[in-house]
């Protein structure tokens, strides 16, 4: 059980990224999508990518909170 806070931290990080991406895709909010692309067919093919910083910052914050909660819930014996 000593590694449980770290597992919770990783789980919180990745689940936050997944949920923000799903909310961004469902409600069409570009600044919530971690990775998005768009195709612009003008004189050929243009591939545009963008990374939003808000999901990353939110995921790091949730990861930290879940790590702190895991340290309190599963202390070393």
């Amino acid at each position: 059980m000593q590694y449980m806070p770290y597992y919770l931290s990783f789980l919180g990080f990745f689940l936050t990224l997944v949920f923000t991406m799903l909310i961004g895709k469902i409600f069409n909010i570009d600044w919530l999508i971690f990775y998005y692309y768009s195709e612009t067919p003008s004189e050929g093919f243009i591939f545009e990518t963008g990374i939003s910083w808000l999901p990353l910052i939110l995921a790091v914050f949730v990861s930290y909170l879940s790590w702190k909660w895991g340290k309190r819930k599963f202390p070393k014996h």
Side-chain angles (χ1 to χ4, degrees):
M1 286 298 193
Q2 69 181 6
Y3 298 115
M4 188 60 81
Y6 304 110
Y7 295 147
L8 289 174
S9 177
F10 285 123
L11 184 67
F13 182 82
F14 290 115
L15 283 179
T16 303
L17 286 181
V18 167
F19 283 137
T20 56
M21 188 174 71
L22 286 175
I23 291 171
K25 290 275 189 188
I26 290 171
F27 294 114
N28 200 17
I29 304 172
D30 285 340
W31 49 271
L32 278 181
I33 301 173
F34 175 66
Y35 180 79
Y36 65 92
Y37 68 93
S38 63
E39 299 173 6
T40 309
S42 62
E43 297 181 12
F45 179 77
I46 297 174
F47 183 72
E48 300 174 8
T49 62
I51 296 174
S52 178
W53 287 99
L54 183 67
L56 286 176
I57 293 169
L58 186 64
V60 167
F61 182 68
V62 168
S63 174
Y64 174 73
L65 288 179
S66 61
W67 175 73
K68 291 291 276 187
W69 179 75
K71 291 288 261 188
R72 190 176 66 233
K73 185 75 173 165
F74 303 103
K76 290 184 181 179
H77 295 326

